[in-house]
Amino acid sequence: MAHILIIEDERPIAQSIAYTLKREGFDVTIATDGAEGLRLAQGPLIPSLIILDLMLPSMGGLEICRAVRQQQRAWIPIIMLTAKAEEIDRVIGLEIGADDYLTKPFSMRELVARVKATLRRPAAEAQPEPVLAYHGVEVDLTRHSASVDGAPLELSPKEFDLLALLLRQHGRAMSREEILRQVWGEEGLYRDPHTVDVHVRWLREKIERNPAAPARILTIRGVGYKFAE
Ligand code: CA
């Protein structure tokens, strides 16, 4: 399933994009702050596509675009959102490497069409991401697949992201709040931290030999969770 990162500070716009894309079957994460958006773009969930607003607090869209293009994940397609028609010239003129752009206001139908068209294009130089494998659990970030003791795992998008995060940070205890922010993005700020407990429980049922006595995802008292070292 394609995972789409929306970096847009106007919350109503971000939410209506998220709502539309979820309805189309996409997995969606929102960031309303530029720096937070870039962090998520570099995080454990690799976005299949980024919808990026040009004008953002703390770090602008151009800067984010440039940063993404200079990294291992330079292949991630970016659709730029601009407020005024004249900004388009800037986006194109600067050759910052956005794949497409939409001028506000745009229809959700147009957005969906652009997203699908962009995702259909072959990713130019997709760099394979490392396969994470610890204690019999394997997550292939490029293929978006996971297995336990060699058997394929059926995971929901958030279970997959959570497992990828835990594996990537294996041996390090993470708080529920940190996990919420990494996996749920902006939405995580408004989520009950127990959301994490629920997802950990579901994951344990799928990857632990004995979910009642977990040996892979460990509970760290007073902190949160960690994947066994
Ligand atoms: Ca904006």
Side-chain angles (χ1 to χ4, degrees):
M1 182 191 298
H3 181 103
I4 300 182
L5 173 61
I6 302 164
I7 310 177
E8 161 65 88
D9 60 318
E10 286 165 81
R11 198 158 276 141
I13 297 181
Q15 280 165 350
S16 93
I17 294 173
Y19 173 80
T20 306
L21 292 177
K22 274 185 197 166
R23 219 180 35 191
E24 292 287 325
F26 296 106
D27 184 22
V28 173
T29 306
I30 296 175
T32 54
D33 172 89
E36 168 86 356
L38 181 59
R39 207 180 49 70
L40 287 169
Q42 298 163 335
L45 317 58
I46 307 160
S48 320
L49 184 143
I50 301 172
I51 295 175
L52 178 60
D53 187 30
L54 187 62
M55 305 296 282
L56 291 162
S58 88
M59 191 179 203
L62 292 179
E63 210 181 324
I64 294 171
C65 196
R66 227 175 270 127
V68 170
R69 288 290 174 256
Q70 280 163 6
Q71 290 161 358
Q72 201 202 0
R73 295 178 185 172
W75 56 269
I76 299 175
I78 296 175
I79 296 180
M80 208 80 174
L81 305 180
T82 65
K84 286 176 274 159
E86 51 265 38
E87 283 173 348
I88 295 167
D89 295 342
R90 243 180 100 208
V91 173
I92 297 169
L94 285 170
E95 289 175 356
I96 49 155
D99 296 81
D100 204 349
Y101 61 87
L102 280 164
T103 309
K104 294 176 189 174
F106 49 83
S107 72
M108 286 300 143
R109 198 193 214 175
E110 180 67 12
L111 176 95
V112 169
R114 298 290 186 88
V115 165
K116 287 184 176 170
T118 306
L119 286 173
R120 268 195 302 268
R121 282 179 216 155
E125 299 142 43
Q127 299 270 342
E129 296 274 337
V131 173
L132 308 167
Y134 301 99
H135 298 283
V137 178
E138 216 175 273
V139 166
D140 186 328
L141 294 166
T142 311
R143 294 176 177 201
H144 214 83
S145 64
S147 65
V148 61
D149 299 325
L153 272 172
E154 287 281 340
L155 301 174
S156 74
K158 289 303 179 213
E159 286 171 357
F160 182 90
D161 296 341
L162 175 60
L163 184 59
L165 174 67
L166 288 166
L167 282 177
R168 186 160 269 182
Q169 304 284 342
H170 77 282
R172 185 171 84 80
M174 278 178 292
S175 70
R176 290 169 179 80
E177 288 73 20
E178 189 184 352
I179 293 171
L180 272 178
R181 278 172 61 90
Q182 291 276 359
V183 175
W184 277 265
E186 190 78 17
E187 208 188 321
L189 295 172
Y190 312 101
R191 286 247 178 185
D192 189 317
H194 289 110
T195 305
V196 174
D197 302 329
V198 173
H199 280 76
V200 164
R201 196 167 67 229
W202 291 339
L203 259 186
R204 278 174 171 161
E205 276 162 22
K206 294 179 180 180
I207 69 163
E208 296 286 353
R209 291 185 182 110
N210 177 6
R216 286 162 168 155
I217 301 176
L218 311 176
T219 303
I220 308 300
R221 270 206 149 174
V223 184
Y225 297 101
K226 79 167 182 183
F227 200 91
E229 206 148 3

